[in-house]
């Protein structure tokens, strides 16, 4: 039996893929498989992955004929995965040697549905440790209980899929797949669904993932229209949370987070192409009108003056019918 399936999407990362693959080799075990998903790369990444398929123990090489984005590539890997446990890595990040064995040990010792881990953020030569925003370590809890409070960073705000390990029963229950086609913020509906519907989780102080920031080809660095998929993602979070049995308690967190993300993008609107910036404003105004208005009122009242003023001004903006839909 395969103990662990590691799903690794790659797209035009020829500069970084060799480091990623070397770190996978340093984590290889006879009961681990590495599912390498090439999302129709146009650089030298396919050649690098073809060599890895021959040389990396446990490698499974899959290729998309058209680019589908990170969510779709991860879903392809999930569909092919055979492991008792599953985890993720992005094609431009890397791992400490032996990290995955320690990760498997942690979830087997705790016996929960999923485990969340800390990580190291790498920007140029700077290294910063980022912690799961949940203070109790190594204690199994209900993930639903750590969604709140609304006005502080909580476990659902730490959405990185690769910062953890997940039992196969979550995949069998349909909780690990991503919303197909989302180009950014694909992990937001995913992490919310996981916390609402899984039964148990724990956070552990295990470091081993090195997350590379500031990559020029990363979508977080590109101000094109794909960035606006965060609106689809958070619309989904609000819509699904509104159907939850604890909607009255959880919706303020979902709406407040959505507002904070809109404000963040508006605050750095100069990085977007002009046409995308205009679309950001109109789509964000429409999103505010779709939110539960009483919950939105409370969310804006709880925010600092600068963000609340920016969002209230946007809320008053007229919205064309085709954008509001």
């Amino acid at each position: 039996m395969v103990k662990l399936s590691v799903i690794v999407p790659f797209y035009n990362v020829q500069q970084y893929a060799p480091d990623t693959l070397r770190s996978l080799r340093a984590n290889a075990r006879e009961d681990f498989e590495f599912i390498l998903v090439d999302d129709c790369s146009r650089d030298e990444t396919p050649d690098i992955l073809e060599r890895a398929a021959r040389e990396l123990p446990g490698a499974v090489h899959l290729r998309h004929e058209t680019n589908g984005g990170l969510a779709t590539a991860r879903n392809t890997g999930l569909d092919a995965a055979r492991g008792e446990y599953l985890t993720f890595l992005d094609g431009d990040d890397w791992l400490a040697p032996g990290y995955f064995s320690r990760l498997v040990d942690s979830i087997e010792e705790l016996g929960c549905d999923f485990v969340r881990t800390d990580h190291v953020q790498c920007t140029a030569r700077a290294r910063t440790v980022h912690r799961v925003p949940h203070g109790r370590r190594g204690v199994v809890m209900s993930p639903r209980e750590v969604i709140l409070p609304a006005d502080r960073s909580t476990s659902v705000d730490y959405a990185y899929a690769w910062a953890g390990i997940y039992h196969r029963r979550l995949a069998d229950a349909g909780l690990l797949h991503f919303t197909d086609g989302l180009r950014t913020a694909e992990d937001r509906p995913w992490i919310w669904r996981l916390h609402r519907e899984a039964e148990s989780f724990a956070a552990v102080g295990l470091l081993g993932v090195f997350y590379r920031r500031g990559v020029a080809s990363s979508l977080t660095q590109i101000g094109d229209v794909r960035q606006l998929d965060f609106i689809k993602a958070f619309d989904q979070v609000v819509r699904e949370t509104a159907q939850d049995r604890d909607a009255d308690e959880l919706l303020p967190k979902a709406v407040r987070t959505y507002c904070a993300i809109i404000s963040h993008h508006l605050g750095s609107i100069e990085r977007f192409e002009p046409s995308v910036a205009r679309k950001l404003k109109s789509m964000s105004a429409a999103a505010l009108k779709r939110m539960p208005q009483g919950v939105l009122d409370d969310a804006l009242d709880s925010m600092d003056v600068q963000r609340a003023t920016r969002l209230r001004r946007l809320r008053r903006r007229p919205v064309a019918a085709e954008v509001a839909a």
Side-chain angles (χ1 to χ4, degrees):
M1 175 179 282
V2 175
K3 177 63 73 172
L4 177 68
S5 296
V6 184
I7 297 155
V8 195
F10 294 83
Y11 178 64
N12 289 350
V13 287
Q14 63 181 21
Q15 181 179 353
Y16 306 110
D19 289 341
T20 303
L21 294 163
R22 275 192 293 270
S23 76
L24 291 176
R25 177 180 287 277
N27 277 268
R29 226 169 72 175
E30 62 180 12
D31 56 350
F32 288 0
E33 67 176 4
F34 303 113
I35 303 175
L36 314 176
V37 184
D38 176 18
D39 194 22
C40 196
S41 297
R42 299 301 185 188
D43 61 358
E44 298 302 314
T45 300
D47 294 335
I48 295 169
L49 295 182
E50 285 179 11
R51 289 195 298 273
R54 298 189 298 269
E55 299 170 1
L56 174 64
V60 178
H61 183 202
L62 305 174
R63 177 169 169 78
H64 286 171
E65 293 304 317
T66 59
N67 178 260
L70 182 58
T72 301
R74 284 178 175 165
N75 288 343
T76 294
L78 284 167
D79 290 340
R82 299 174 296 150
E84 180 181 358
Y85 301 102
L86 303 98
T87 190
F88 303 91
L89 186 69
D90 286 350
D92 52 5
D93 299 334
W94 77 97
L95 306 161
Y99 169 69
F100 281 147
S101 289
R102 297 193 296 275
L103 191 59
V104 169
D105 288 346
S106 71
I107 194 169
E108 293 198 316
E109 289 169 8
L110 292 162
C112 51
D113 285 342
F114 66 99
V115 166
R116 300 292 282 159
T117 68
D118 304 331
H119 72 276
V120 180
Q121 181 174 297
C122 306
T123 306
R125 295 188 177 183
R127 302 288 185 268
T128 310
V129 174
H130 285 246
R131 306 284 186 188
V132 184
H134 175 66
R136 302 182 67 183
R137 298 304 172 102
V139 178
V140 177
M141 298 182 64
S142 165
R144 174 180 287 268
E145 293 177 2
V146 301
I147 294 174
L148 300 176
D151 60 350
R152 288 211 311 267
S153 181
T154 70
S155 191
V156 290
D157 301 308
Y158 188 81
Y160 312 108
W162 37 257
I165 184 170
Y166 314 91
H167 196 284
R168 166 156 292 280
R169 58 180 168 261
L170 296 176
D172 294 341
L175 300 184
L176 290 187
H177 279 71
F178 296 80
T179 302
D180 196 53
L182 277 182
R183 296 286 179 160
T184 191
E186 74 292 326
D187 45 10
R188 295 297 188 143
W190 177 87
I191 196 72
W192 271 84
R193 184 175 66 243
L194 201 56
H195 278 71
R196 288 193 312 263
E197 300 187 29
E199 294 183 1
S200 60
F201 99 112
V204 298
L206 179 61
L207 288 173
V209 178
F210 293 83
Y211 169 42
R212 200 188 301 268
R213 290 295 305 272
V215 176
S217 60
S218 171
L219 196 53
T220 59
Q221 303 296 310
I222 299 172
D224 70 15
V225 72
R226 292 172 293 177
Q227 281 278 6
L228 302 188
D229 272 8
F230 85 89
I231 292 175
K232 295 179 185 177
F234 275 97
D235 275 354
Q236 182 180 344
V237 170
V238 171
R239 182 172 63 251
E240 292 177 352
T241 303
Q243 297 168 357
D244 188 89
R245 65 178 185 268
D246 296 321
D248 288 347
E249 296 177 19
L250 301 181
L251 265 175
K253 171 68 173 177
V255 168
R256 195 179 194 280
T257 304
Y258 196 173
C259 288
I261 298 297
I262 290 173
S263 180
H264 167 75
H265 283 297
L266 292 173
S268 56
I269 199 167
E270 68 280 351
R271 69 191 179 92
F272 290 95
E273 301 163 2
S275 62
V276 178
R278 291 191 295 273
K279 196 168 185 178
L280 169 63
K281 289 182 179 179
S282 61
M283 291 178 67
S284 296
L288 291 171
K289 289 177 170 56
R290 285 193 298 271
M291 295 179 198
Q293 295 300 293
V295 178
L296 176 58
D297 288 337
D298 291 341
L300 295 177
D301 288 344
S302 73
M303 299 178 83
D304 61 84
V305 172
Q306 182 180 24
R307 288 192 297 175
T309 300
R310 177 185 291 151
L311 292 167
R312 287 191 176 104
R313 185 182 302 120
L314 186 67
R315 189 184 187 185
R316 295 192 294 269
R317 180 187 176 113
V319 176
E322 63 272 16
V323 179

